[in-house]
Amino acid sequence: DLCKKYERIFSTNNKKSELYKINHSSNKLEAQELSNDLYKVIKQGLYYSDLSKGSFDITIGSISSLWDFKKHTLPEDPLIQQHLHDVSYKNIILENHKIRFLNTETMIDLGAIAKGYIADKIKDYLLKENVNNAIINLGGNVLCVGNKNNEQFMVGLTDPQEIDQSILTLTIDDLSVVTSGVYQRYFELNGQKYHHILNPQTGYNYENGLSSVTIISKTSLQADT
């Protein structure tokens, strides 16, 4: 139920979600009120966008919406180049729980951060309900609550080359383990592999030689970004 609740807030595709309505508002240049959850996640997203100098950028929505990893379709390059001008976290003004866009074509995509926030909120809920030992798995985001019968949880890391096998097993106690890899969502076309981790500067997937990265942190949101 909590996951469904947050999907209605953070989804970029659900036309009923709060974020979708913000992205497609006819008065984006004017300040719009935000719910507490959406405000918090956008604020964190802007913080990490600035910290990374745009290598991570929550305003990649106009580019990420062009890619369809289910249909294995490659966006037209002129379209990518056109929308690159709309990608910049500096186009977002956030203050007093309100948001204002400086570019009407700029779109927010919280796909790289919202899942971590949701995992953290689920953990908060479990602790509030006196569930002190649990493991939350949102697919790539694993968050441990306490330990497992006074022992540490064992979290396996997928081998990027053999995805049905683990390359390493971590022992985790009350921490988050978030993994992102080029093997999770991708397609191949004309001998070229295209994965879902997009570079805001180019509009295409990052090509940095990394197959998978795992972050261990106190909160899942920290690791997501």
Side-chain angles (χ1 to χ4, degrees):
D1 287 344
L2 280 176
C3 285
K4 290 179 180 178
K5 168 191 171 181
Y6 290 118
E7 182 185 5
R8 291 192 293 268
I9 297 174
F10 302 126
S11 173
T12 56
N13 301 316
N14 187 335
K15 294 182 179 181
K16 295 182 179 180
S17 80
E18 182 182 1
L19 179 60
Y20 186 95
K21 292 176 181 177
I22 293 290
N23 275 334
H24 296 86
S25 171
S26 59
N27 59 338
K28 292 172 71 172
L29 300 182
E30 300 177 14
Q32 302 179 75
E33 195 82 33
L34 296 176
S35 67
N36 194 45
D37 289 304
L38 187 56
Y39 173 81
K40 284 181 179 180
V41 175
I42 291 178
K43 184 177 181 180
Q44 285 293 306
L46 291 176
Y47 168 77
Y48 285 109
S49 297
D50 182 60
L51 188 66
S52 67
K53 296 181 173 59
S55 295
F56 168 87
D57 196 321
I58 61 169
T59 65
I60 199 170
S62 60
I63 294 293
S64 59
S65 62
L66 299 176
W67 289 85
D68 192 330
F69 291 93
K70 292 182 179 179
K71 294 184 179 179
H72 297 186
T73 55
L74 187 65
E76 295 181 5
D77 185 69
L79 206 53
I80 289 180
Q81 301 308 319
Q82 173 189 336
H83 284 289
L84 276 179
H85 300 290
D86 306 321
V87 179
S88 174
Y89 62 94
K90 295 180 181 179
N91 287 335
I92 302 295
I93 305 298
L94 196 68
E95 54 189 8
N96 298 323
H97 273 73
K98 294 182 179 180
I99 188 171
R100 180 166 59 90
F101 292 76
L102 300 181
N103 180 339
T104 57
E105 299 301 314
T106 295
M107 306 268 282
I108 294 175
D109 185 339
L110 299 175
I113 184 172
K115 192 188 290 186
Y117 180 82
I118 294 170
D120 291 334
K121 296 297 283 187
I122 292 175
K123 180 175 181 176
D124 290 344
Y125 171 78
L126 292 176
L127 291 173
K128 182 181 176 182
E129 295 296 317
N130 297 315
V131 178
N132 298 311
N133 307 89
I135 187 164
I136 302 161
N137 187 348
L138 298 185
N141 289 61
V142 175
L143 182 58
C144 299
V145 182
N147 53 44
K148 183 179 181 180
N149 301 323
N150 296 319
E151 296 182 0
Q152 291 182 306
F153 286 104
M154 299 181 69
V155 180
L157 302 185
T158 299
D159 184 340
Q161 311 305 324
E162 301 287 344
I163 61 173
D164 59 340
Q165 299 181 26
S166 295
I167 196 172
L168 183 69
T169 298
L170 303 175
T171 51
I172 298 297
D173 191 340
D174 206 42
L175 292 173
S176 169
V177 179
V178 174
T179 299
S180 188
V182 301
Y183 59 88
Q184 293 172 327
R185 287 171 58 207
Y186 72 94
F187 63 87
E188 294 187 21
L189 190 64
N190 299 324
Q192 177 73 33
K193 184 175 183 178
Y194 299 94
H195 61 77
H196 74 292
I197 305 175
L198 301 177
N199 184 340
Q201 271 74 54
T202 67
Y204 290 89
N205 52 259
Y206 269 106
E207 295 183 11
N208 52 19
L210 296 175
S211 296
S212 175
V213 172
T214 297
I215 304 293
I216 302 172
S217 60
K218 186 62 179 175
T219 71
S220 194
L221 185 144
Q222 285 177 314
D224 241 1
T225 50

